[in-house]
Amino acid sequence: MRSIAGWPRQFMAAFFCVLLSGVALAQGKPNVVVLATGGTIAGAGADVTNSATYQAAKVPVDKLIAGIPQLTDIANVRGEQVFQVASESLKNENLLTLGHRVSDLLKRDDVDGIVITHGTDTTEETAYFLNLVIHSDKPIVVVASMRPGTAMSADGMLNLYNAVSVAGNRESRGRGVLVVMNDEINSGRDVAKTINIRPDAFKSPWGDLGMIVEGKTYWFRRLDKRHTSTSEFDIDKIKSLPLVEIAYASGNVSDTAYRAFAQEGAKAIIHAGPGNGSVSGSLVPVLQELRAKGIQIIRSSHVNGGGFVLRNAEQPDDKYDWVVAHDLNPQKARILATVALSLTNDSKELQRIFMQY
C-alpha cells in the first residue's frame, strides 16, 4: 500500500481539499455545552416497564451525550457535570452555582449555547431563575424527561437532541431561557409541570413559543416580559439569596405555617391562596401582623392552568401593603421574590418587578 507521500500531486490536492472542507464544516457547527444536574433524564429503572418507578440522577453527562451519536451532526457538543442531584432536593446554593457557571460559559467566544439537563420536579423554577439573572442573548435551554432512559418509549434522547438543536440555532437568541420537551419550546418564565406521569407534562398557560420537528425549529411568538439581557438582576452580583417560603392556603387553613416561616427568618411569604389569591378572614390579621414586622406578603393563586391575581381584588392590597404575584404560580413567585429581595425590600418596587417580569 502506497503511503500518502507517494500519492500523485492531484490526489494529494484533492485529499487535502476534502480534509480542509471537513474541518471547515466542523468549525461551522455551533458549539454547545451540556451542563448536567441530574434528574429523570439521567435516571435508570430496574426494568423497561418502569416508567414511573426508577432512581433519578444516576447516568453521567458523558454517557448521556455518547448515547446520541447524531448530536455530532448538528453541533460540537461537550458535557460538564455541575452536580448530580434529584431536582426536588435542589437548594438556593445549587441555583447560584449553576447560574454562575452558565454566566461564565456564555462569556466565552467558543460557546454558542447552553443546554441544562434537569429533573422535572423543579425545571420550571430553575429555568425562571436563569431567565431572571443571566445577562446574555445566547440560547439557554433547559431539558428534562418524564421517563428514564431505560424505559420503553423513553423521551430523554429526543428531548436532548431537540434541546441541542434549539441551543445551536441563532434564531433562538434573545428569546430568554427556554424549556424544550415533547417537541415543544416553552418559555422558562411561563412553563409549569401540569401532570407527573405523562411526557406532555409541561405546558404554558399562554401557549408555547414554538415547536421542533425532526431537528427543525418553528417559532410562533416571543416573550414580552423582561428577561436575561434586559433584566435588572445580574447573577455576577448575587452572592446569596434570602429565604422566601410558600404557605398553601385552603379551607380551614390555620396560621401555623405562616408563623413558623416568620420565626425561621423568612423575608417574604408567598400566600398560595385559592381563586384570586384569596385570604381567609382569620388569616388577615396574622398577615397584617407579619407585614408590620417587615416580612413581605405576596398573594398568589394555586389555581392550575392560568389566570392571575388582581391587585386590590378580594383584599385591599394598597391598605395592607401587600404584593400580588400577577400570573406567576406560587413556586415561580418564590423565585422572583428571592431574586428581587437581593436588590430591594420596598413593597412598591417589588410590585413593579412582579408586573414587569
Side-chain angles (χ1 to χ4, degrees):
M1 182 175 180
R2 295 171 64 184
S3 69
I4 189 172
W7 286 8
R9 182 176 298 175
Q10 63 269 33
F11 287 174
M12 288 274 288
F15 171 80
F16 282 110
C17 280
V18 171
L19 180 63
L20 290 174
S21 65
V23 171
L25 183 61
Q27 290 175 340
K29 289 188 293 187
N31 299 313
V32 175
V33 179
V34 178
L35 298 179
T37 68
T40 299
I41 196 168
D47 186 83
V48 295
T49 60
N50 294 136
S51 63
T53 306
Y54 53 87
Q55 287 186 304
K58 290 297 178 183
V59 181
V61 64
D62 290 343
K63 190 171 182 179
L64 284 178
I65 294 172
I68 314 174
Q70 294 82 1
L71 289 176
T72 59
D73 297 334
I74 58 175
N76 303 313
V77 181
R78 66 178 180 87
E80 184 177 314
Q81 196 79 45
V82 183
F83 38 77
Q84 187 84 319
V85 181
S87 69
E88 69 273 13
S89 298
L90 289 182
K91 306 294 185 185
N92 283 349
E93 292 75 19
N94 296 121
L95 291 178
L96 290 172
T97 296
L98 179 61
H100 286 299
R101 187 59 185 141
V102 170
S103 179
D104 290 343
L105 284 168
L106 291 179
K107 292 185 178 85
R108 296 175 49 164
D109 293 335
D110 61 346
V111 174
D112 298 307
I114 298 284
V115 169
I116 299 161
T117 63
H118 203 282
T120 59
D121 280 356
T122 57
T123 286
E124 64 196 83
E125 297 175 46
T126 296
Y128 188 41
F129 174 76
L130 297 174
N131 196 62
L132 293 170
V133 301
I134 302 297
H135 278 210
S136 177
D137 284 335
K138 293 180 181 179
I140 304 167
V141 179
V142 183
V143 65
S145 73
M146 292 299 294
R147 296 169 178 166
T150 52
M152 289 188 289
S153 194
D155 53 333
M157 286 181 63
L158 181 58
N159 286 348
L160 182 53
Y161 178 85
N162 285 345
V164 170
S165 181
V166 172
N169 187 339
R170 290 190 62 85
E171 292 184 3
S172 303
R173 294 175 68 108
R175 296 179 184 268
V177 175
L178 307 170
V179 174
V180 171
M181 289 183 65
N182 198 44
D183 298 336
E184 295 179 346
I185 307 169
N186 281 285
S187 165
R189 191 267 180 192
D190 295 339
V191 77
K193 186 176 182 179
T194 61
I195 193 170
N196 65 335
I197 53 173
R198 294 206 315 238
D200 60 340
F202 281 77
K203 299 295 179 184
S204 296
W206 315 123
D208 49 356
L209 301 184
M211 288 193 68
I212 180 165
V213 181
E214 296 183 351
K216 183 173 176 56
T217 302
Y218 300 87
W219 296 103
F220 304 138
R221 69 180 182 93
R222 285 184 176 270
L223 177 65
D224 196 43
K225 297 290 187 178
R226 291 178 65 178
H227 59 79
T228 52
S229 58
T230 66
S231 175
E232 65 201 87
F233 311 111
D234 187 349
I235 187 64
D236 294 340
K237 298 177 182 177
I238 301 175
K239 305 305 177 186
S240 63
L241 294 170
L243 179 64
V244 177
E245 296 283 13
I246 302 172
Y248 190 96
S250 59
N252 201 44
V253 64
S254 75
D255 62 4
T256 303
Y258 299 85
R259 293 192 182 280
F261 290 147
Q263 187 174 350
E264 289 299 312
K267 301 303 181 184
I269 296 176
I270 308 299
H271 168 78
N276 186 38
S278 303
V279 182
S280 167
S282 62
L283 274 182
V284 170
V286 178
L287 299 189
Q288 287 180 290
E289 175 190 332
L290 297 181
R291 180 68 194 103
K293 293 179 179 179
I295 299 170
Q296 296 289 345
I297 303 300
I298 302 170
R299 291 198 302 121
S300 69
S301 173
H302 63 61
V303 171
N304 293 323
F308 49 83
V309 177
L310 293 171
R311 186 168 180 83
N312 295 315
E314 299 288 347
Q315 293 295 330
D317 298 296
D318 288 346
K319 177 181 176 181
Y320 296 157
D321 197 27
W322 293 348
V323 175
V324 299
H326 194 45
D327 68 321
L328 295 177
N329 64 27
Q331 54 269 35
K332 288 182 184 286
R334 184 191 71 84
I335 291 293
L336 180 53
T338 300
V339 171
L341 284 168
S342 69
L343 282 187
T344 181
N345 193 40
D346 180 82
S347 60
K348 291 183 174 57
E349 272 295 281
L350 290 175
Q351 188 61 78
R352 173 191 65 80
I353 288 167
F354 267 91
M355 300 307 290
Q356 291 184 355
Y357 291 86

